[in-house]
Amino acid sequence: MSITAAFMVPHPPLIVPQVGRGSEVKVQKTIRAYKQVADEIASLQPETIIISSPHSVMYADYFHISPGDRAFGSFADFNAPEVSFSEEYDTELVNMICTLCDKEGFPAGTMGERDKRLDHGTMVPLYFIREKYNGGKIIRLGLSGLPLKKHYRFGRIIQKAAEQTGRRIVYVASGDLSHKLQSYGPYGYAPEGPEYDKRIMEVCSRAAFDELLDFDESFCDKAAECGHRSFVIMAGALDGVNVKATQLSHEDITGVGYGICTFYPENTEADPYVKLAKETIDLYITKGEIISVPDYVPEDMRNTSAGAFVSIHKNGDLRGCIGTILPTKASVAEEIISNAVSASTRDPRFSSITADELSSLEIKVDVLSEPEQIFSVDQLDVKRYGVIVSSGYKRGLLLPDLEGVDTVEQQIEIAMLKGGITYDDEITLHRFEVIRHK
């Protein structure tokens, strides 16, 4: 079993009554939402609660997983030593995560613990959870100074470990939002602060987890955010799963943003487009055979035709991508099969996929609408439309909503470069939309 639910929560100690001593009344909306999260976790009865905390051990180039059998902590540093915790670690799941990290050469493990005590980024969520549910072991994860893509990949490794151990798991992503929302706040005010809070809550409320990777890290630094990397690890742990997101609260009372959202997998069934591409690649790489259209493929994939692109990523980097602008096969299913084989073995930019890579690949399928000629760049939108630039027999295509492509001008320039088209050439533009499956 993979992650059964995930929760984005803040960790201000003042919301613990013994710490706040009355000042917590000003953030009652956050407290009510936190109690709802605790009720939901109690109803799920998880065997393991994974908590990623910005205040656990953090290294520039390594993800620390707390070692040992047990951990203790209290709010003594916040003048409330009577609020204490004794938690048991899920050593089997920790070992599985470490094994997978070692196998993939990923920089994470249990080395380098500097302080065994539980940090407040872990204890604040546990305070509310343990009021309602005393079962389940925990795992405590630290963040790192590595890029956001690495945090997402760490989450995917955690997801894989969860599936292999069969645990009933909830993931708690602990982290405050911006610390620069008000002039009276602990870090003062910066215009990036409110912008960050608005954007992160909007993204998480839609469970648009891929957009978490689009946040520029300098922008995050200017906003003095706390939990972004924690949220990205959580997103990776839910990779490839259809998720129902609910925003429970967002407050800006103390000059620091506190946001709470819940995330529930709606359907753990793999998308049939992606499933077909993956099974095609697996069979062709391991046995050299072309798959027949399986019984699970729905009628619309059998009875309609369209151009399609199959993209393969490994550890966040492109590993192969081949597609067709217009249909070349009788059905979308056959189009995907043909392009999946080509993407895995015939992309001239890469060597063929090998069998030992199959378990670490991420597959996406883009199904294209029929291209429509346009006569102005104003008819383009880099997020919504892909572009085809043609000049005589030369043609370059770029899919929409790609990381690092932020303007129509960039989109056209890259498409021209791919097609070998120069600015001296007379060009024709077409746009198309895609339905992205991942």
Side-chain angles (χ1 to χ4, degrees):
M1 183 176 292
S2 57
I3 309 298
T4 58
F7 303 89
M8 165 187 169
V9 297
H11 51 239
L14 73 88
I15 64 175
V16 175
Q18 295 89 333
V19 175
R21 302 181 188 278
S23 62
E24 71 276 6
V25 297
K26 57 188 175 183
V27 287
Q28 279 301 308
K29 186 177 179 181
T30 295
I31 292 172
R32 284 194 299 270
Y34 232 127
K35 290 181 176 180
Q36 180 176 333
V37 166
D39 284 331
E40 293 184 20
I41 290 176
S43 70
L44 293 168
Q45 296 192 317
E47 297 169 275
T48 305
I49 302 167
I50 299 176
I51 304 174
S52 53
S53 169
H55 298 283
S56 183
V57 178
M58 181 173 177
Y59 289 98
D61 57 357
Y62 182 79
F63 292 90
H64 179 75
I65 306 168
S66 294
D69 298 325
R70 301 194 69 87
F72 305 89
S74 78
F75 284 105
D77 291 343
F78 301 92
N79 299 314
E82 68 275 19
V83 184
S84 61
F85 302 85
S86 175
E87 297 289 336
E88 185 177 358
Y89 284 133
D90 185 341
T91 54
E92 182 183 352
L93 183 53
V94 167
N95 290 337
M96 177 62 72
I97 294 170
C98 291
T99 297
L100 292 175
C101 288
D102 289 344
K103 183 178 178 182
E104 298 187 19
F106 188 82
T110 56
M111 298 186 298
E113 183 169 59
R114 297 191 296 262
D115 189 346
K116 295 183 178 181
R117 296 176 300 169
L118 296 174
D119 63 281
H120 76 268
T122 301
M123 292 188 293
V124 171
L126 283 174
Y127 174 82
F128 290 94
I129 294 169
R130 292 313 187 202
E131 280 193 322
K132 303 295 180 74
Y133 180 67
N134 289 316
K137 301 176 183 180
I138 74 165
I139 288 179
R140 182 169 62 138
L141 308 175
L143 314 182
S144 83
L146 292 166
L148 294 178
K149 282 185 178 180
K150 290 286 189 181
H151 288 74
Y152 194 90
R153 184 183 168 196
F154 189 32
R156 291 184 64 204
I157 292 172
I158 291 164
Q159 179 191 62
K160 190 183 300 184
E163 291 170 350
Q164 293 189 17
T165 56
R167 290 283 196 276
R168 191 168 60 255
I169 295 169
V170 298
Y171 191 107
V172 177
S174 177
D176 297 337
L177 307 185
S178 171
H179 285 64
K180 290 190 174 182
L181 298 178
Q182 302 288 352
S183 59
Y184 56 74
Y187 294 89
Y189 172 82
E192 291 83 2
E195 184 182 348
Y196 175 85
D197 269 38
K198 179 181 179 181
R199 185 176 169 192
I200 191 70
M201 293 306 297
E202 195 273 331
V203 165
C204 288
S205 295
R206 292 186 290 112
F209 293 140
D210 56 331
E211 294 182 26
L212 290 173
L213 301 177
D214 294 337
F215 282 65
D216 184 83
E217 297 203 33
S218 66
F219 166 72
C220 291
D221 289 341
K222 291 175 182 176
E225 59 77 24
C226 168
H228 197 88
R229 287 171 171 80
S230 181
F231 309 149
V232 172
I233 298 174
M234 175 195 70
L238 294 170
D239 179 68
V241 178
N242 293 322
V243 172
K244 179 182 179 182
T246 303
Q247 178 180 323
L248 298 185
S249 68
H250 175 240
E251 283 194 297
D252 165 21
I253 304 296
T254 66
V256 178
Y258 304 142
I260 297 182
C261 292
T262 69
F263 307 97
Y264 284 89
E266 286 192 301
N267 183 2
T268 56
E269 287 281 326
D271 183 296
Y273 292 78
V274 176
K275 184 177 181 180
L276 176 59
K278 185 178 187 309
E279 290 185 358
T280 298
I281 293 168
D282 287 353
L283 182 63
Y284 192 78
I285 296 303
T286 56
K287 296 185 178 180
E289 299 175 6
I290 303 291
I291 195 172
S292 299
V293 177
D295 292 339
Y296 65 76
V297 170
E299 287 299 314
D300 60 337
M301 290 177 65
R302 298 171 180 271
N303 298 333
T304 60
S305 59
F309 275 73
V310 175
S311 304
I312 305 170
H313 286 79
K314 179 182 177 182
N315 303 333
D317 297 320
L318 185 65
R319 186 64 179 84
C321 179
I322 295 290
T324 44
I325 300 171
L326 296 170
T328 62
K329 306 294 180 182
S331 70
V332 173
E334 293 169 272
E335 202 80 36
I336 292 170
I337 290 170
S338 175
N339 291 338
V341 170
S342 295
S344 61
T345 61
R346 297 168 191 158
D347 188 328
R349 299 168 294 179
F350 304 97
S351 60
S352 294
I353 299 292
T354 60
D356 60 0
E357 294 180 276
L358 293 173
S359 63
S360 59
L361 300 179
E362 179 184 356
I363 314 296
K364 296 180 182 179
V365 176
D366 290 311
V367 179
L368 280 60
S369 68
E370 185 174 348
E372 168 193 14
Q373 186 173 357
I374 59 173
F375 301 95
S376 169
V377 295
D378 294 336
Q379 294 176 271
L380 288 173
D381 179 329
V382 291
K383 293 295 183 183
R384 179 179 177 182
Y385 296 112
V387 67
I388 302 168
V389 183
S390 305
S391 180
Y393 65 88
K394 296 183 287 187
R395 183 167 58 184
L397 174 146
L398 199 67
L399 295 170
D401 198 17
L402 296 178
E403 183 180 356
V405 182
D406 302 315
T407 67
V408 168
E409 290 74 20
Q410 281 180 290
Q411 189 182 40
I412 293 173
E413 183 178 356
I414 296 170
M416 290 175 65
L417 184 64
K418 291 176 70 174
I421 299 169
T422 70
Y423 285 101
D424 294 328
D425 294 326
E426 185 175 339
I427 65 171
T428 301
L429 297 177
H430 287 76
R431 71 180 185 185
F432 60 90
E433 294 184 88
V434 304
I435 299 176
R436 180 156 291 163
H437 301 267
K438 58 183 180 179

